[in-house]
Amino acid sequence: MGELRVRVTQDSASRWRRRSGEYATLREALEVAEPGDTLTVRAGTFHEAVLVDKPVTLVAAQGPGSVRIAPPESAVRGGTALTVTAGATIRGLTVEGSDRSAPAVLLSGTDGAVLADCRIETSSAVGVELADGARAQLVNCTVENPSGLGVRLRAQAHAELVDCEVSAAGQSGVAVLSGSRLHAERLKVHHTGGAGVLLADPGSLAELTGCEVYEVRGSGVQAEAQAVGRLTDCTVRRVSGNGLSLDTGAELELTSCRVHEVPENAADLRGGAKLTLRQVTVHGFGRGALSVWDGGTKVLAEGCRFHSAQGDYPALWVSDGAALELADCALDDLPDALFVLDQGSSAAARDCSFTAIRSSAVSVSGGASADLSGCRIQGAGTGLWFRDHGSGGLLTDCEIADVATGVIVTKGADPVLRECTVRGASEAGVYVSAQGRGEFDAVRVSQGGGFGFHVIDGCRTKLVRCRAERNARAGFEFSEPGPVAEGCTSDDAAPLPAPRPAEPAAPPLASLVPAVQTSASAPAAAVIAPIPDCRPAEEALAELDSLVGLATVKQEVRTLIDLISVGRARQRAGLKAPSPRRHLVFTGSPGTGKTTVARLYGEILASLGVLQRGHLVEVARLDLVGEHIGSTAIRTAAAFDKARGGVLFIDEAYALAPEDGGRDFGREAIDTLVKLMEDHRDEVVIIVAGYTAEMERFLAANPGLSSRFSRTVTFPDYTADELLDIARSQAAEHEYHLDPAAEAALHAHFTTLDRGAGFGNGRTARQVFESMIERHASRVAHLTDPTTEDLQLLVPADLPS
């Protein structure tokens, strides 16, 4: 009799059997075991093929790795070392197989077999196979099969893999086929000879969470024939093929995943496949980040980052009628960012950034289209290039900065740009040639090293309300008739000549404007008016000077204006220009004129061409701080966007940094403002206002604030004389006047006012005046026949008691 090596313990409900028994082989033990029994296996190697057809538990007595099933090749039943047809649990066993035409482990039961802490070390067709309709769970298992597949799910099988590892597979690591379903958590697939994870056939679904695929000779994840995969917090890296390959209607959805160190494409899609990426990072790719082909093929990427390309190919390639949609994505350190080719191909990007692009950020050709909204391109050879006939798109509220050429339109391309800005192009801001067209509406080009808008070859480009300023060669250059300009302005256009009084009728305004600087005469429609398109700076400065008091404030503002004016003159002369800090801190008590001065400051900057509009947007903490995480950044960005081209005035800004703020969302508003000030430094002037001591605390709330607000303007309280002057101006504005006695009484009233926390300065003077005209009305209403003087004269009796 052989050594007794398998102990069967009765865990079943039967009362008629002996409690336990010991057997020499697994086969003998399994034959006598009943459902629910536990088979405890002593350490050693069992040279037998094992069939588990009852819901029992097999467990290695000395733990994982102590028991090995290794049948001789002649003894293998159907080539399979371990077959499980029931809802059994196998724990801690190592399985060897050697038939290259059969799986080492076959799970065919529908009751949910469990393999836990097992190792499959085999040279078989498949390491672990789930037969048609089978259900099983693998927990903390390792599969090594250099001769074939690691794990295969056949038709309608359902498998759960938790903390498992598939390594050294000769073919794909995990194959989900024929409508089967896989749920995997923390699965590692590596060193395989084919795709790390293969999905195929309609109805097939794989859900992977926290998984890794690396060091595979093929694609990391390959999906085809309408299979579906969902990956969350997964990593695909160091594969020899594409990171992700999709074909023939397959769908993949990745959330918070990483794809990197891929010599080919991070993702390659064809045949109507669909890929959704959310919060995914892609970098270190040799060919492209996304390569999207064929009609019906679509990619949606939200909150993703594509960076650090290793090759010389465009990062995002869309062709043959495919479609790409990007939202809140970042693309940086790339040779080319986005190429859209062929009729029917399209790309849409919203709130995306393109940074450090060595050649073209966006290229559109072959009749394709690209729509961009709220995007920022900074640091590129060419911002956007629309190359040929039928190519175009719509760009709205986009910024292009620090590029060689901002926008190129050639060979019949016809894009539309609205409310976009091009800043700091070393050559042309906008360049149109070779029958290119294009419509540019409210586009601003500034600080360029060449022409702002350069249109040659008689291209019929339309420019509406465009603005050019501080461009080294000229704002607008039209070499031949063809372009149409309506309501456009430039800082190098000559002022309009006054009409001659003797002429019976003035000619149309457009004919009085000098033509754009051209090498041939431009058509009458292509005329450019001078900047500013608002009232001159002198008028706004005159209004500032007319304000009561504020002598030091007026001097500070004039100093800033002088710095800007002289800087622009130096720039035109080819000299270095100082870069004064335009963002300001206004400190002082309420009612000292801070809002009024901010409004005038914006107007002056607009008249000098520093700001596009110069309008004032006034906000407080309530307008910027939301009720939950994330909403504050949205509100703050919305207020900033509303102020683009003008002044964002934040009253009582210290409320964003309360002394006991802790996790207060006001800090999020401050951090968002600092980033926006950096990203859009020339678009908005920010003025923060509040009490002096509290504003010092505000500036200390973020390290970037004090460097951006380097100039503080202090608004002193009004004296009694100045308050009396304010009351006099209010009276004159409303057609009242004060008699001498009333002025004396009013001065005495202002002298004795309590100047505590509730003192409103100019607001107090206006409130006192309003009280006076109310009391005046009550008094005059009782007069029988009041004269005009009675209706206008304010006397001491009209002062509030």
Side-chain angles (χ1 to χ4, degrees):
M1 184 175 179
E3 180 184 1
L4 300 178
R5 299 167 58 191
V6 184
R7 180 181 181 84
V8 179
T9 302
Q10 180 186 350
D11 295 322
S12 66
S14 172
R15 293 181 299 170
W16 305 106
R17 295 179 55 238
R18 54 187 170 75
R19 294 295 301 169
S20 63
E22 295 190 353
Y23 303 89
T25 67
L26 284 167
R27 183 180 302 173
E28 292 173 348
L30 286 164
E31 285 177 351
V32 300
E34 292 192 1
D37 286 354
T38 297
L39 284 70
T40 305
V41 188
R42 295 177 183 174
T45 300
F46 290 80
H47 296 290
E48 57 179 307
V50 177
L51 170 64
V52 182
D53 57 359
K54 302 171 185 177
V56 296
T57 299
L58 267 70
V59 58
Q62 280 77 45
S66 61
V67 175
R68 183 177 294 265
I69 298 174
E73 187 171 347
S74 60
V76 176
R77 292 183 180 180
T80 299
L82 174 62
T83 303
V84 183
T85 63
T89 298
I90 315 296
R91 187 179 299 277
L93 273 60
T94 298
V95 179
E96 292 184 10
S98 57
D99 190 336
R100 299 192 179 186
S101 64
V105 176
L106 177 62
L107 308 175
S108 60
T110 60
D111 295 329
V114 177
L115 267 65
D117 304 320
C118 293
R119 289 185 64 86
I120 291 82
E121 300 174 352
T122 183
S123 294
S124 303
V126 184
V128 176
E129 179 164 286
L130 275 73
D132 294 358
R135 292 177 177 267
Q137 181 185 52
L138 279 68
V139 180
N140 196 32
C141 294
T142 299
V143 180
E144 296 180 0
N145 181 26
S147 297
L149 293 165
V151 177
R152 179 167 64 188
L153 281 63
R154 300 183 70 93
Q156 307 302 316
H158 287 229
E160 182 178 0
L161 275 62
V162 179
D163 294 316
C164 292
E165 184 174 2
V166 178
S167 65
Q171 301 174 27
S172 295
V174 178
V176 183
L177 312 173
S178 305
S180 58
R181 299 203 165 196
L182 168 68
H183 177 83
E185 297 180 13
R186 298 177 298 281
L187 168 67
K188 292 184 178 181
V189 181
H190 59 94
H191 293 89
T192 65
V197 178
L198 172 64
L199 313 175
D201 308 320
S204 297
L205 171 65
E207 295 177 317
L208 282 65
T209 302
C211 300
E212 294 183 59
V213 179
Y214 58 97
E215 299 290 357
V216 303
R217 294 189 300 276
S219 296
V221 178
Q222 181 174 331
E224 55 193 38
Q226 302 179 48
V228 176
R230 301 190 185 103
L231 286 69
T232 303
D233 191 26
C234 295
T235 300
V236 177
R237 59 189 170 94
R238 295 204 304 270
V239 302
S240 67
N242 299 314
L244 312 170
S245 291
L246 292 80
D247 205 345
T248 54
E251 297 184 21
L252 285 182
E253 180 178 325
L254 278 69
T255 303
S256 301
C257 294
R258 299 151 296 278
V259 182
H260 57 93
E261 298 173 82
V262 179
E264 294 295 325
N265 298 300
D268 184 275
L269 290 82
R270 302 165 188 266
K274 293 178 175 59
L275 174 64
T276 301
L277 306 174
R278 294 187 176 91
Q279 308 299 323
V280 173
T281 300
V282 179
H283 67 90
F285 42 90
R287 185 172 290 270
L290 300 175
S291 185
V292 193
W293 308 75
D294 304 334
T297 305
K298 297 180 181 179
V299 175
L300 168 63
E302 297 177 338
C304 299
R305 185 185 178 197
F306 307 94
H307 69 98
S308 305
Q310 299 300 306
D312 296 322
Y313 301 90
L316 309 184
W317 176 279
V318 185
S319 66
D320 297 293
L324 168 67
E325 183 178 348
L326 305 172
D328 193 28
C329 292
L331 298 91
D332 57 277
D333 190 16
L334 305 169
D336 293 283
L338 171 60
F339 270 41
V340 193
L341 308 90
D342 306 323
Q343 188 170 3
S345 299
S346 65
R350 173 173 51 84
D351 299 328
C352 296
S353 65
F354 301 76
T355 309
I357 311 300
R358 294 186 285 279
S359 187
S360 297
V362 179
S363 174
V364 185
S365 62
S369 66
D371 295 346
L372 281 69
S373 172
C375 293
R376 178 180 174 83
I377 298 171
Q378 183 167 25
T382 300
L384 302 112
W385 192 341
F386 297 90
R387 293 177 178 265
D388 48 30
H389 183 75
S391 303
L394 173 63
L395 279 72
T396 306
D397 191 28
C398 294
E399 299 179 26
I400 305 167
D402 305 326
V403 297
T405 304
V407 181
I408 300 176
V409 182
T410 58
K411 299 180 181 178
D414 195 12
V416 176
L417 280 74
R418 292 177 180 157
E419 299 183 347
C420 297
T421 61
V422 180
R423 185 183 69 253
S426 60
E427 299 175 10
V430 172
Y431 179 72
V432 186
S433 69
Q435 288 73 54
R437 295 176 67 90
E439 179 179 334
F440 299 84
D441 187 349
V443 174
R444 182 185 185 189
V445 179
S446 63
Q447 304 175 47
F451 295 111
F453 296 83
H454 190 188
V455 184
I456 67 172
D457 302 328
C459 294
R460 299 190 61 79
T461 301
K462 184 176 182 181
L463 301 102
V464 180
R465 297 182 296 124
C466 292
R467 176 171 175 144
E469 54 192 348
R470 288 176 285 172
N471 294 288
R473 299 189 66 181
F476 293 79
E477 168 73 6
F478 302 154
S479 61
E480 299 172 9
V484 175
E486 300 175 0
C488 297
T489 57
S490 177
D491 58 359
D492 59 4
L496 299 175
R500 298 177 182 177
E503 294 178 353
L509 181 64
S511 67
L512 298 176
V513 184
V516 192
Q517 293 188 17
T518 61
S519 26
S521 51
V527 292
I528 309 300
I531 291 176
D533 52 5
C534 55
R535 65 173 175 168
E538 291 73 16
E539 292 185 18
L541 284 168
E543 183 177 339
L544 176 67
D545 287 336
S546 70
L547 298 177
V548 173
L550 305 177
T552 58
V553 173
K554 295 171 184 176
Q555 182 57 46
E556 287 279 5
V557 173
R558 280 197 171 274
T559 298
L560 283 169
I561 301 308
D562 290 344
L563 280 170
I564 292 169
S565 298
V566 173
R568 295 193 65 187
R570 287 176 58 86
Q571 189 177 43
R572 289 195 187 96
L575 301 173
K576 290 184 178 180
S579 300
R581 301 287 185 180
R582 299 177 301 173
H583 307 300
L584 303 176
V585 179
F586 284 2
T587 63
S589 303
T592 49
K594 294 187 288 294
T595 305
T596 300
V597 173
R599 175 180 60 79
L600 293 171
Y601 182 56
E603 281 194 59
I604 294 167
L605 293 182
S607 69
L608 295 174
V610 176
L611 291 175
Q612 190 167 11
R613 294 175 56 195
H615 63 295
L616 180 75
V617 175
E618 183 176 1
V619 296
R621 174 188 167 91
L622 183 63
D623 304 296
L624 304 178
V625 177
E627 296 80 13
H628 53 81
I629 294 175
S631 62
T632 294
I634 294 172
R635 286 191 181 188
T636 303
F640 190 93
D641 286 342
K642 189 176 179 182
R644 280 177 188 261
V647 174
L648 180 63
F649 182 82
I650 307 175
D651 199 13
E652 297 182 351
Y654 54 81
L656 297 174
E659 289 182 293
D660 57 349
R663 295 173 59 86
D664 185 82
F665 290 144
R667 305 279 177 164
E668 184 181 354
I670 294 173
D671 295 343
T672 302
L673 280 171
V674 169
K675 185 177 188 306
L676 289 169
M677 291 168 70
E678 178 63 26
D679 292 345
H680 309 274
R681 61 182 67 185
D682 292 329
E683 298 299 316
V684 176
V685 166
I686 296 183
I687 298 177
V688 292
Y691 293 107
T692 303
E694 285 81 352
M695 290 307 295
E696 291 177 357
R697 184 184 73 240
F698 167 77
L699 293 175
N702 183 293
L705 281 177
S706 58
S707 63
R708 289 168 174 80
F709 292 99
S710 60
R711 184 179 292 270
T712 298
V713 180
T714 301
F715 286 68
D717 286 344
Y718 287 113
T719 64
D721 289 338
E722 290 169 342
L723 292 174
L724 180 58
D725 285 341
I726 292 173
R728 286 193 187 109
S729 66
Q730 288 283 302
E733 181 181 347
H734 293 86
E735 296 185 340
Y736 290 89
H737 63 265
L738 301 160
D739 73 1
E743 287 193 357
L746 194 54
H747 187 276
H749 176 77
F750 287 142
T751 301
T752 58
L753 277 177
D754 178 15
R755 293 178 176 253
F759 179 60
N761 279 287
R763 191 177 304 120
T764 297
R766 288 187 290 274
Q767 290 170 347
V768 169
F769 171 73
E770 290 168 358
S771 297
M772 290 181 70
I773 61 175
E774 290 174 2
R775 293 170 66 87
H776 167 268
S778 297
R779 176 174 58 82
V780 173
H782 294 87
L783 299 178
T784 303
D785 188 16
T787 65
T788 301
E789 184 179 7
D790 291 331
L791 294 171
Q792 290 182 296
L793 188 64
L794 298 174
V795 300
D798 297 325
L799 261 70
S801 56

